[in-house]
Amino acid sequence: MKVTQKPKIIFIPYPAQGHVTPMLHLASAFLSRGFSPVVMTPESIHRRISTTNEDLGITFLALSDGQERPDAPPSDFFSIEKSMENIMPSQLERFLLEEDVVGVACVVVDVLASWAIRVAGRCGVPVAGFWPVMFAAYRMIESIPELVRTGIVSRK
């Protein structure tokens, strides 16, 4: 009997508050529709989410962020940005090539983690962009007239 594997979808969230959780919700939605989601995050994030979400049916994989101590949080915004541009791309590329690209349906990338778009393209894997802050941005823009009306923001 031939066993068919579920198609994998690789999720690459931007490693910041407000980006990882919406991506986990999206991965869960794909899981419920028969896909095999794989969420790849820097080690510092991986440690926090993989143990608290281990019963979801989602695979969590860590990307090295180049920190001397993997258990330490990133020292600042610029260090994580640097590792996303210089360290993580080769790891994602290696993973995609080892996974046999045919088994990967697509890579879903938080658009702030644009380095992953280029990697998936080089590997011939379709990419979908994900922007988790749309609703928040919409609500902020929607509130501008009220902020002006109440004087919190001036018209000038």
Side-chain angles (χ1 to χ4, degrees), residues 77-145:
F77 169 80
F78 297 106
S79 66
I80 196 69
E81 286 292 320
K82 185 177 177 182
S83 67
M84 285 194 318
E85 292 296 326
N86 300 314
I87 298 171
M88 294 180 197
S90 62
Q91 295 171 66
L92 176 59
E93 187 165 358
R94 188 169 39 255
F95 175 79
L96 291 174
L97 295 175
E98 288 173 0
E99 279 300 306
D100 180 15
V101 174
V102 176
V104 177
C106 73
V107 177
V108 176
V109 177
D110 186 311
V111 295
L112 291 181
S114 60
W115 61 269
I117 296 169
R118 293 185 298 275
V119 172
R122 280 196 308 268
C123 294
V125 178
V127 178
F130 182 67
W131 181 247
V133 295
M134 278 300 206
F135 185 68
Y138 169 77
R139 294 290 293 166
M140 183 178 75
I141 292 167
E142 179 190 51
S143 69
I144 290 173

Side-chain angles (χ1 to χ4, degrees), residues 51-64:
T51 56
T52 58
N53 294 294
E54 60 192 1
D55 296 332
L56 290 179
I58 297 171
T59 301
F60 294 95
L61 297 176
L63 293 166
S64 172

